[in-house]
Amino acid sequence: MKHIDSPSTPGKIKMEKSPSPSSSNPASSDLSRRSLRTSSYSGPDFEKRVRQSAKPRSRHGMSVLVTGAAGFVGTHVSASLKRRGEGVLGLDNFNSYYDPSLKRARQTLLERSGVYIVEGDINDGALLAKLFDIVPFTHVMHLAAQAGVRFAMENPSSYVHSNIAGLVSVLEFCKNVNPQPAIVWASSSSVYGLNTKVPFSERDRTDQPASLYAATKKAGEEIAHTYNHIYGLSLTGLRFFTVYGPWGRPDMAYFFFTRDMLKGKSIPIFEAVNHGTVARDFTFIEDIVKGCLAALDTAEKSTGSGGKKKGPAQLRVYNLGNTSPVPVGDLVSILEKLLKVKAKRLVMKMPRNGDVPFTHANISLAERELGYKPTTDLHTGLKKFVQWYLSYYVDGKKSAQ
C-alpha cells in the first residue's frame, strides 16, 4: 500500500450533522458485548496475529498500540507507521457514531498492509492486560475518542465514557506495566473554546470550553498532567485543527457538503454574530500524520516502574494546524469547482450548540520542537479528498448515508 488515499479537532469543523437515531448511544451496545469479545481473544492464533502485527522490522523499531485505529486519523497514522517498518497493533470498538462500514473498509485496507485491529473497548481492562501481556509496547498512540460537538448535546455520557474514563483506563494500565510506554494522544483545538486572541497558542488560556466535547478534552489534558506528575508517564498531547482528507469522517462539513452537493441538496453555511465570517484552520491528514509521527519519534521514555515514578518525565502539548484559516464559504467554492456542481447555499445563524466562529493555530512550538511544517493548501487537499470520495462512493457504488 503506497498511499492510504488511494481507494484505498476547536479541532473539528464544527458544522456537523448528528448521527442517525440508531447511533444514539454507541457506548451502551459496546459495553454489553465487551465481556463476550474479551473471552474470545485467546489462543495461539490470536496471539500470533497480535505479535506479527506489533513486531517492528528492526529490533530497534517501535512497537505501537494505536487506539481508534479504524478511525480517520488512526487509519492514516497506523498505515504510515507500518509503511516505515514499525510494529503496529490497532484497537477499535467500531461504534456506530457514523457508518461502521466505512470503518470496516479502513480495517480491510490496514489488514492488507499487515496491521491487525483488535475489536474491543479501551475501558476493557482485561483486554488491555491481554494485549500488553503478549506485546511489550514501546509506545501508545491514543486516538480513540468520542468526536463531534453537536452529538454531545444528545448523548453526553458517551463523551465521558470515551474521552475521560477511556483515557484514564489507558493511563491506569500504562502506569503499571514495566517498562512503561511513552504515550502520544489526541487532544483538540476545541480546548481554546471562547478565546478571542488569535492565533491560538499553547500558552493561551483553555478554561472556557464552548462544548462538552471541548470540556472532556480539556479534562484529558489535566488528567495527563496528573499521571505524568505522579507516575512518571511520558505524555504528549496533540491539539488537532480541523483535519480533513481521504477516508475522512462523514459528520464533518467538507464531507457532507460533498455528499449533499452531488445529490442536489442545500447545504448550511453558518455565519457568526453580526453576519460575521465562520472560518476554520483546515489541516490536511498527511500533514497531521507527519506531526503524529514526529511526536512519537521525539517522545522520551517514561520514568516510572510498577506504578512508581523514578524521576521527572516528559510532558508536552502541541498545536497541529495549517496556520491559514479559510472561510467556510471559500471551502464551498473550491468544492463547486472540483465537483463541477453549483451549491445550494442556505445561509443561517450559527446555532448555540458548542460551535465557535473561527480557529487559527500558532504552530511555532511544533515547528521548533517537532520539525512540523504543513505543506498542503486547502485546494490541493480537497482535490485529493474529492478524488477519493468519487472513487469510493460513486465508482465503488457505496451508499453515502
Side-chain angles (χ1 to χ4, degrees):
M1 181 180 64
K2 190 173 181 181
H3 292 293
I4 193 86
D5 59 354
S6 61
S8 355
T9 170
K12 318 292 185 286
I13 182 163
K14 298 306 192 299
M15 292 190 300
E16 301 147 332
K17 286 200 173 180
S18 299
S20 62
S22 64
S23 62
S24 61
N25 194 353
S28 61
S29 58
D30 296 324
L31 284 168
S32 65
R33 295 193 301 267
R34 189 189 304 165
S35 60
L36 179 62
R37 280 204 301 261
T38 302
S39 65
S40 68
Y41 291 138
S42 60
D45 290 340
F46 171 71
E47 294 185 10
K48 182 179 179 181
R49 290 194 73 182
V50 168
R51 287 196 181 95
Q52 286 180 337
S53 185
K55 184 179 180 180
R57 193 180 301 154
S58 162
R59 66 187 183 93
H60 298 296
M62 299 178 187
S63 182
V64 188
L65 175 65
V66 180
T67 70
F72 174 31
V73 178
T75 296
H76 284 271
V77 169
S78 296
S80 294
L81 284 170
K82 196 68 174 181
R83 194 158 50 237
R84 74 177 199 179
E86 312 297 354
V88 182
L89 180 71
L91 177 63
D92 202 292
N93 68 0
F94 293 90
N95 71 28
S96 56
Y97 170 64
Y98 60 81
D99 184 10
S101 70
L102 179 58
K103 300 177 185 180
R104 294 298 181 185
R106 297 182 188 131
Q107 178 186 29
T108 299
L109 195 69
L110 287 177
E111 287 185 345
R112 289 185 193 141
S113 66
V115 176
Y116 176 44
I117 300 180
V118 176
E119 183 173 357
D121 196 295
I122 54 176
N123 285 286
D124 189 341
L127 177 57
L128 291 176
K130 180 71 175 178
L131 298 180
F132 273 89
D133 184 55
I134 299 171
V135 178
F137 295 103
T138 60
H139 297 75
V140 172
M141 174 62 76
H142 179 51
L143 299 171
Q146 176 61 60
V149 170
R150 293 186 184 182
F151 189 51
M153 298 179 71
E154 299 177 30
N155 187 8
S157 62
S158 67
Y159 289 78
V160 176
H161 173 77
S162 295
N163 301 356
I164 297 180
L167 176 62
V168 170
S169 174
V170 171
L171 297 184
E172 272 292 303
F173 204 86
C174 289
K175 86 176 193 204
N176 289 319
V177 296
N178 192 16
Q180 295 174 334
I183 303 160
V184 177
W185 69 285
S187 181
S188 169
S189 58
S190 294
V191 299
Y192 292 112
L194 301 178
N195 277 9
T196 56
K197 171 188 166 293
V198 290
F200 299 149
S201 166
E202 293 88 347
R203 296 183 299 274
D204 293 342
R205 64 186 298 181
T206 54
D207 60 351
Q208 302 177 95
S211 67
L212 179 63
Y213 168 71
T216 62
K217 286 299 185 178
K218 169 62 176 176
E221 293 188 357
E222 301 303 325
I223 290 167
H225 180 277
T226 302
Y227 276 80
N228 169 269
H229 173 69
I230 298 177
Y231 302 112
L233 286 176
S234 170
L235 282 150
T236 301
L238 303 177
R239 295 173 177 171
F240 297 151
F241 281 72
T242 315
V243 189
Y244 73 99
W247 294 100
R249 279 179 21 216
D251 64 319
M252 302 287 278
Y254 72 92
F255 198 115
F256 67 75
F257 281 179
T258 299
R259 179 195 65 208
D260 290 348
M261 286 169 63
L262 288 172
K263 291 182 176 181
K265 295 182 178 180
S266 60
I267 58 174
I269 307 294
F270 294 152
E271 61 180 17
V273 178
N274 296 323
H275 305 289
T277 299
V278 173
R280 292 289 180 268
D281 199 346
F282 297 101
T283 312
F284 191 57
I285 183 62
E286 290 179 8
D287 292 321
I288 289 291
V289 169
K290 291 175 185 175
C292 290
L293 268 57
L296 285 170
D297 291 338
T298 57
E300 297 175 359
K301 292 183 178 180
S302 294
T303 63
S305 177
K308 295 183 179 180
K309 183 178 181 179
K310 304 295 184 180
Q314 187 180 53
L315 180 67
R316 307 180 295 175
V317 174
Y318 296 107
N319 288 338
L320 294 186
N322 197 50
T323 75
S324 302
V326 176
V328 174
D330 291 0
L331 173 142
V332 175
S333 296
I334 295 173
L335 286 176
E336 287 178 323
K337 293 177 182 177
L338 293 172
L339 296 170
K340 298 180 174 60
V341 172
K342 185 69 174 176
K344 298 177 181 177
R345 307 185 188 210
L346 184 61
V347 180
M348 61 181 67
K349 292 181 180 179
M350 177 176 286
R352 296 181 62 85
N353 59 4
D355 284 340
V356 294
F358 56 86
T359 61
H360 184 184
N362 178 335
I363 61 169
S364 57
L365 183 64
E367 285 179 328
R368 186 167 62 250
E369 297 188 4
L370 301 180
Y372 173 71
K373 186 174 178 60
T375 58
T376 311
D377 63 80
L378 186 58
H379 186 278
T380 301
L382 284 177
K383 183 177 181 180
K384 292 182 178 181
F385 166 73
V386 166
Q387 289 172 339
W388 168 81
Y389 186 95
L390 294 176
S391 176
Y392 184 80
Y393 285 106
V394 179
D395 299 338
K397 303 294 189 289
K398 301 289 185 181
S399 175
Q401 299 175 357

